[in-house]
Amino acid sequence: MNFTKIWQRRKDQYFAIALRYFRLIGNSGFMLSLYILFVMGSFYYARILKQLPDNFPASWLLIAVYAYLLTKSPVRTFLKKGDLVFLLPVESRMKEYFRHSIRYTAVIQSFSIVFFFLALGPLFSRFITDNPIEMLLTLALLLTAKVWNIKTSWEEQRLPFDQTRRNYMVIRLAVNAVFLFLLFQKAYVFILAILAIMYVLSHFFFGFIKKMHGYKWEHLLEIENGLMMKLYRIANLFTDVPQLSQKVKPRKWLTAFSKVPYKQRHTFEGLYRKTFFRSNDYFGIYIRLVIIGGLFLFWFPSGWWHPILILLFLHATGVQLLPLYRHHRGNVWFELYPVKHEWRFEAFQKWLRILLLIQAFLYVAFLFLIGGTWMIGGLSAGSALLFVWLFTAYYTKKQIMRVM
């Protein structure tokens, strides 16, 4: 049995699935909003950096960001349910398979370290150092720490209990925090001592786990499924993903907002409201976009950019919530409701309009709260109302008819 070929075939299958979904995401209107936000954010990023005071705690911000990025190091194994039956008996011969997984994870997650290093580069060069040699040395040490975290995180997964794994992760988090503090203070002599401690932990402390425990296949499969579900949840915002497992959260404190008149015409309206609050992450996405939009409005200087930002975030939210319409697609009981089909679209259209109007109201109120002018506020409110009407009356209907 050639485990290298098995791993390579599974990696290729994953990339084929991921590329197909990313192609659909790239063709959606949501990417246009992200692109415009990226251009606007890049323009104001430099201006915001210049306005930061000299005593801004940049090093602590960088420590918090990189401590999370370093500590969060799940290994991608591409395991499947059938492996519990067919590959478990040959576990002792799968070292090469898992070695490929660790290398793949190290390469992919190193890209995230490089990306954030480039994104936070202007902040780093202003408050830490602008010496290119020191910056390259910092990046090299960050990548070294990332590889160490991936290897030790992999050994952690052998532990039988979740609480024990969390305790070991806290140890790694503490080591990472000390390492990053010394790194951003440019205490390179002490960094050598930390690297020596990391070496000892890797080969003796975590090495002891390797000798005492085997692979926990159910746990590894759970991690792999969780990583796949992240891709599916993102893709499900733009197209139907049959592999996505649906999760329902009670959220009883939101029950009052899902109540509708007890009439046949309001059947779908109540269903869509409950689906929004309880199923998948529609409610979470909505809240996150509202908060992120508010942060952009706060960071960007007051002016004509604010109405544009409001329209961009309204568009992004509307596009993200369109999959709610087809959430129950394929459910035979849903199709058997003795309700007119046009009421279904009207209910979704009404609920989407309410959500976007609430978002627009919050943005306009926040503009006045942070000192926006009446002219900008009035223009923002008028353009938002016009956009919500056009989006729900025309764009929504066009998109839903296209996928039906």
Side-chain angles (χ1 to χ4, degrees):
M1 186 178 292
N2 192 325
F3 290 105
T4 299
K5 289 185 178 180
I6 293 175
W7 184 89
Q8 188 68 39
R9 184 168 62 250
R10 292 184 176 184
K11 187 203 72 172
D12 293 340
Q13 291 171 351
Y14 167 75
F15 270 90
I17 295 173
L19 288 174
R20 183 171 72 249
Y21 285 131
F22 283 134
R23 193 178 298 114
L24 291 171
I25 295 173
N27 293 333
S28 68
F30 179 69
M31 295 305 296
L32 176 62
S33 298
L34 288 182
Y35 176 74
I36 296 175
L37 286 174
F38 175 77
V39 173
M40 295 173 62
S42 301
F43 175 75
Y44 280 102
Y45 184 30
R47 295 183 59 178
I48 293 173
L49 284 178
K50 293 179 181 178
Q51 296 173 1
L52 292 176
D54 293 334
N55 60 350
F56 180 76
S59 60
W60 293 108
L61 175 62
L62 293 170
I63 289 172
V65 172
Y66 284 110
Y68 173 80
L69 292 174
L70 292 177
T71 307
K72 190 75 172 178
S73 302
V75 175
R76 196 67 195 264
T77 58
F78 302 113
L79 291 178
K80 300 181 178 180
K81 288 184 179 180
D83 296 342
L84 296 176
V85 177
F86 297 105
L87 294 185
L88 183 59
V90 292
E91 175 183 328
S92 59
R93 296 160 50 193
M94 291 189 64
K95 292 182 179 179
E96 187 64 27
Y97 181 96
F98 291 125
R99 196 175 293 121
H100 283 298
S101 296
I102 294 173
R103 291 171 184 167
Y104 168 84
T105 302
V107 172
I108 295 299
Q109 295 189 15
S110 292
F111 280 119
S112 67
I113 297 294
V114 174
F115 172 80
F116 277 93
F117 189 79
L118 294 175
L120 298 173
L123 184 69
F124 186 89
S125 61
R126 178 183 172 185
F127 291 97
I128 308 299
T129 180
D130 58 354
N131 188 316
I133 295 178
E134 289 184 341
M135 294 182 71
L136 289 175
L137 177 61
T138 300
L139 178 59
L141 289 171
L142 287 172
L143 293 175
T144 301
K146 185 60 179 178
V147 172
W148 177 80
N149 275 274
I150 291 172
K151 289 185 176 180
T152 51
S153 173
W154 171 248
E155 302 304 337
E156 284 176 12
Q157 309 315 313
R158 296 174 179 266
L159 295 168
F161 304 110
D162 291 338
Q163 184 59 49
T164 311
R165 284 191 287 266
R166 283 194 289 267
N167 293 339
Y168 276 78
M169 186 178 67
V170 170
I171 294 174
R172 286 194 297 111
L173 177 62
V175 173
N176 290 331
V178 175
F179 169 81
L180 292 168
F181 176 79
L182 296 173
L183 179 61
F184 296 140
Q185 294 297 321
K186 295 182 284 187
Y188 298 117
V189 175
F190 292 101
I191 288 177
L192 292 176
I194 291 294
L195 290 175
I197 293 173
M198 293 166 72
Y199 177 84
V200 171
L201 288 173
S202 177
H203 286 77
F204 296 97
F205 192 66
F206 287 91
F208 178 75
I209 300 175
K210 184 177 181 180
K211 294 179 181 179
M212 295 297 296
H213 302 279
Y215 300 121
K216 298 298 179 286
W217 285 77
E218 292 83 358
H219 177 63
L220 294 177
L221 185 61
E222 182 181 347
I223 294 175
E224 180 62 25
N225 289 337
L227 294 173
M228 283 300 297
M229 285 303 111
K230 287 183 179 180
L231 170 66
Y232 290 151
R233 278 194 290 270
I234 295 173
N236 190 61
L237 298 172
F238 304 91
T239 186
D240 289 325
V241 180
Q243 300 93 332
L244 183 65
S245 57
Q246 307 293 343
K247 291 185 178 180
V248 178
K249 299 179 181 180
R251 289 176 176 154
K252 296 180 180 179
W253 56 284
L254 292 171
T255 303
F257 298 101
S258 60
K259 291 182 178 180
V260 296
Y262 193 71
K263 295 181 179 180
Q264 190 178 29
R265 188 181 185 91
H266 299 285
T267 302
F268 286 110
E269 187 177 342
L271 180 65
Y272 282 128
R273 290 191 181 195
K274 291 180 179 179
T275 304
F276 171 79
F277 287 122
R278 298 176 180 178
S279 298
N280 282 358
D281 202 24
Y282 298 114
F283 179 69
I285 290 171
Y286 179 77
I287 296 298
R288 284 193 291 270
L289 283 173
V290 169
I291 294 174
I292 294 172
L295 291 175
F296 268 83
L297 292 175
F298 178 77
W299 285 332
F300 277 55
S302 179
W304 300 103
W305 284 111
H306 280 168
I308 299 176
L309 278 173
I310 290 176
L311 295 182
L312 285 173
F313 275 96
L314 287 175
H315 178 264
T317 303
V319 172
Q320 294 277 38
L321 294 180
L322 285 179
L324 177 63
Y325 179 78
R326 58 179 185 272
H327 181 88
H328 297 279
R329 189 176 182 180
N331 188 329
V332 61
W333 301 112
F334 178 74
E335 300 297 336
L336 289 176
Y337 284 174
V339 181
K340 294 181 180 180
H341 189 271
E342 56 266 24
W343 290 353
R344 174 182 175 182
F345 175 74
E346 290 175 2
F348 174 76
Q349 188 182 43
K350 179 182 178 181
W351 181 232
L352 181 61
R353 184 180 294 121
I354 291 173
L355 292 174
L356 293 180
L357 287 175
I358 292 173
Q359 185 180 12
F361 172 78
L362 291 174
Y363 285 157
V364 174
F366 184 68
L367 276 183
F368 287 121
L369 187 64
I370 61 177
T373 64
W374 284 99
M375 180 179 294
I376 297 298
L379 178 62
S380 300
S383 58
L385 289 173
L386 178 62
F387 174 83
V388 170
W389 178 71
L390 291 173
F391 186 89
T392 55
Y394 296 100
Y395 182 83
T396 300
K397 186 175 183 179
K398 178 182 177 182
Q399 292 299 312
I400 288 177
M401 294 299 295
R402 185 172 62 87
V403 298
M404 287 182 62

